[in-house]
Amino acid sequence: MTDPSRQQSPATSYGHPPGWFPDPIGRHEHRYFNGVTWTADVADRGNRSIDPLGTMPGQPAARTEGNRIATAALICGLIGGFLAWIPLVVAIGFVLGVLALVFGIKGLRRSRLVGSGRGFAITGIVSGAVALALSAVGVVWSVKVVTEFIDFIEPGPVSAEVTSCELTDSSIVITGELINLSDERRDYTVYGWVTSPFNEQHADIVSELSAVPPNEPVPFTLQRLRVGEAGSCEAEVDVQGPTPYGLEIDRIED
C-alpha cells in the first residue's frame, strides 16, 4: 500500500491519476481515488480500512470539500470586531472574538487537509484578536455609560421647593430654591410642571444646575413659552442628576 501522507494535493478533475488524497467528506484522513471515482478504501494514520457509507462516486475532492469552519471564523471575527467596542453589547463582541480564534485555528489546520479556507481562517484569527482587544475599550465605555445613567437616576440627597408660579401672556415662569444636601458639588436637572390650572400640565419645564455647592440654597427659574391669559398657577418640581451626554430625558416618576 502506498503511504497516503506522500500523496500530493487532491484531484481537481476527472481522469486524475489514482492515489490517496484527503477524504473529501472529512470522515477520515485519506480516501483512495481510482482515477474515476472515490472508493471505500480509507486510511487514518497509515492504517487502512473500509468505509462504504462515506463513498462519494465521481466527486473529486476539490469540488466537494469545503472549509466551513474557516468561513465561520471569518464571519465571527468581522461581526465581533464591529460589536466589541460598542457599550453594553461588548459581551457579544467578546464571545464572537473568542469563537473566531477557535474556529480560525481549527480552520487553518483543516485547510492543510482540504486545500481551501486558509485565507478565511487567518482573517478570522486576526479579526478575532482585534475583537478581543476592542472588548477592553467596550468595557470601559460600558462602565462609563452605566455610571452616567445611575448618576442621573440617583442624584443623591437634595431638597427643592417652588417659591412662585406665574402665567403671563407669553410664558410660564416657575421659581424655586434647591439645596444640595451632600458633601460635594453636584450637577442637577430640575423638572417643573404646572398642577393648576389643569390645561397647563401638558409638558415639563426643564433647567440644569451645574456645580451646586453643598448645603447652600441655590435659586432656580424654569420658564416655557405659552399662549393664554395671565394669572397665578401652582407647580411642583422634581430633581434628578445631570442628563447623560446631554440627552433629553423625561423625568423618572415614582
Side-chain angles (χ1 to χ4, degrees):
M1 167 183 171
T2 304
D3 185 356
S5 64
R6 297 182 178 273
Q7 295 297 323
Q8 303 299 316
S9 59
T12 57
S13 62
Y14 297 107
H16 188 87
W20 290 91
F21 302 100
D23 188 356
I25 57 175
R27 292 166 63 96
H28 300 274
E29 290 183 0
H30 298 86
R31 184 175 294 275
Y32 189 77
F33 183 71
N34 63 13
V36 177
T37 184
W38 294 101
T39 70
D41 295 311
V42 296
D44 296 282
R45 298 181 180 179
N47 297 318
R48 183 173 173 177
S49 61
I50 302 297
D51 179 19
L53 295 179
T55 305
M56 298 180 63
Q59 297 294 323
R63 294 188 178 184
T64 61
E65 184 61 22
N67 196 342
R68 294 182 179 179
I69 197 167
T71 303
L74 174 66
I75 295 173
C76 289
L78 294 178
I79 298 177
F82 177 76
L83 297 178
W85 63 274
I86 301 177
L88 306 182
V89 296
V90 56
I92 299 176
F94 178 82
V95 171
L96 290 176
V98 172
L99 291 177
L101 287 176
V102 174
F103 292 163
I105 293 172
K106 291 184 176 181
L108 190 60
R109 292 174 179 171
R110 186 169 179 77
S111 69
R112 300 190 185 102
L113 295 176
V114 302
S116 64
R118 177 178 173 82
F120 280 10
I122 293 176
T123 304
I125 292 173
V126 173
S127 57
V130 171
L132 294 183
L134 290 176
S135 295
V137 178
V139 169
V140 173
W141 285 13
S142 295
V143 171
K144 185 172 179 57
V145 168
V146 171
T147 301
E148 289 276 336
F149 277 91
I150 290 177
D151 289 344
F152 172 72
I153 296 172
E154 301 178 359
V158 62
S159 172
E161 62 178 13
V162 175
T163 56
S164 69
C165 179
E166 181 182 0
L167 303 178
T168 70
D169 292 337
S170 60
S171 63
I172 300 172
V173 181
I174 301 173
T175 59
E177 188 176 80
L178 179 144
I179 302 177
N180 173 10
L181 300 177
S182 70
D183 296 328
E184 58 184 12
R185 290 178 177 270
R186 288 180 176 267
D187 299 336
Y188 297 102
T189 303
V190 181
Y191 294 85
W193 67 98
V194 174
T195 58
S196 177
F198 180 78
N199 61 355
E200 295 294 345
Q201 290 188 17
H202 60 279
D204 289 340
I205 312 171
V206 184
S207 179
E208 295 188 358
L209 302 177
S210 300
V212 177
N215 301 310
E216 293 184 14
V218 175
F220 62 83
T221 300
L222 308 175
Q223 187 170 351
R224 175 169 56 80
L225 295 177
R226 68 180 291 272
V227 177
E229 298 180 356
S232 61
C233 62
E234 295 180 2
E236 293 183 8
V237 293
D238 186 26
V239 180
Q240 294 182 250
T243 56
Y245 305 104
L247 299 175
E248 294 184 4
I249 301 179
D250 294 337
R251 59 190 166 97
I252 306 298
E253 299 186 43
D254 295 334

